[in-house]
Amino acid sequence: MTTTTTKEPAQGAPVAPSGRGGISQSVNDSLIVARRNLIRMMRIPEIVIFGLIQPIMFVVLFSYVFGGSISVPGQGLSAEGYREFLMAGIFAQTVTFATAGAGAGIAEDMHKGLIDRFRSLPMSRGAVLTGRTLADAVQTALTLVVLAVVAVLVGWRAHEGFPKMLAGFGLLLLLGYAFTWIGALIGLTVRTPEAATSGGLIWLFPLTFVSVAFVPSENMPNFLATIAQWNPFSATVQAARELFGNLPPGYVAPDAWPMQNPVLASVLYSLLIIVVFRTLAVRKYRRAAA
């Protein structure tokens, strides 16, 4: 007769409960975490207010300070033409800068031990990060609404109808959501919220400025123009301009594939970023929880 023995954990040793499986349970856990983060944002309105100030400043400064100084193909040195050209870039920069906030928020939760409390619960391992990124996406959507109102006040218009305008903002939100997963990975990697903020911004500046967001790639040296045209950020900016009807009259897109097919390129780039960085972030979270 054989005897089966069960190895008991050492006395006093913590036992981490296994997360509940199933897609529906994972979705439910993610929504609960997202709700918790949204309630926190509402109780600390400074988070939303300060998040709105910077993009509004960019709109005003770029529109009125640089508006008559940058040449747009087909329109020359036109403040009105540059304002139409600019806004898709400002929208895209705003959604990607949410990366720093996502990373800092997760790093702060790690620093305060909140993530450790979540680990002790029988919940999906990826739900903590998914819930956080969903809450950040809601905040980003609110920021875009306010920013669009400000853009209309300074003279920006969407000329292709309401459905295409919604599609343009949808692509912008998809890019922002993709980038929050990069922020999540940074937040899990660094030790302090301050480091997460710095780490979330330092690479965003070259990414956003070496692009077609603020100046046409035709005005750049050849090697920079090639980088800008294949930049994932540029694809979404170009797609938004196309859907908003903000491309200059007679505009001819560069030969680069993302510039010729910006809507498709924007979707593919964003989905690829989500798949890669969500996988890396969840793996990092699970290793830290082991």
Side-chain angles (χ1 to χ4, degrees), residues 34-82:
R35 180 173 176 273
R36 171 257 172 192
N37 282 283
L38 289 173
I39 291 174
R40 177 176 177 271
M41 289 177 188
M42 289 188 291
R43 290 177 177 174
I44 312 176
E46 303 95 286
I47 296 176
V48 178
I49 294 172
F50 290 144
L52 290 171
I53 291 175
Q54 178 177 301
I56 291 174
M57 288 176 59
F58 271 111
V59 170
V60 175
L61 289 174
F62 274 87
S63 296
Y64 294 106
V65 176
F66 300 110
S69 305
I70 298 178
S71 176
V72 177
Q75 295 190 337
L77 296 174
S78 166
E80 293 77 13
Y82 181 67

Side-chain angles (χ1 to χ4, degrees), residues 39-145:
I39 291 174
R40 177 176 177 271
M41 289 177 188
M42 289 188 291
R43 290 177 177 174
I44 312 176
E46 303 95 286
I47 296 176
V48 178
I49 294 172
F50 290 144
L52 290 171
I53 291 175
Q54 178 177 301
I56 291 174
M57 288 176 59
F58 271 111
V59 170
V60 175
L61 289 174
F62 274 87
S63 296
Y64 294 106
V65 176
F66 300 110
S69 305
I70 298 178
S71 176
V72 177
Q75 295 190 337
L77 296 174
S78 166
E80 293 77 13
Y82 181 67
R83 199 170 293 126
E84 294 272 296
F85 179 86
L86 167 72
M87 284 314 307
I90 294 291
F91 291 147
Q93 185 189 55
T94 299
V95 300
T96 53
F97 272 33
T99 301
I106 290 175
E108 182 180 12
D109 288 344
M110 292 279 289
H111 186 68
K112 292 182 176 178
L114 184 62
I115 297 296
D116 290 329
R117 297 176 193 172
F118 281 131
R119 289 172 184 158
S120 67
L121 299 175
M123 62 188 300
S124 171
R125 292 303 185 196
V128 175
L129 303 180
T130 303
R132 174 75 205 199
T133 55
L134 287 175
D136 288 330
V138 173
Q139 182 181 353
T140 301
L142 174 62
T143 303
L144 272 183
V145 170

Side-chain angles (χ1 to χ4, degrees), residues 184-203:
L185 181 61
I186 293 172
L188 290 167
T189 303
V190 301
R191 297 182 180 181
T192 64
E194 293 80 9
T197 301
S198 300
L201 289 175
I202 194 170
W203 59 275

Side-chain angles (χ1 to χ4, degrees), residues 174-214:
L174 181 62
L175 179 71
Y177 181 71
F179 273 54
T180 57
W181 281 107
I182 302 178
L185 181 61
I186 293 172
L188 290 167
T189 303
V190 301
R191 297 182 180 181
T192 64
E194 293 80 9
T197 301
S198 300
L201 289 175
I202 194 170
W203 59 275
L204 277 174
F205 280 102
L207 183 79
T208 55
F209 282 95
V210 184
S211 71
V212 301
F214 305 110

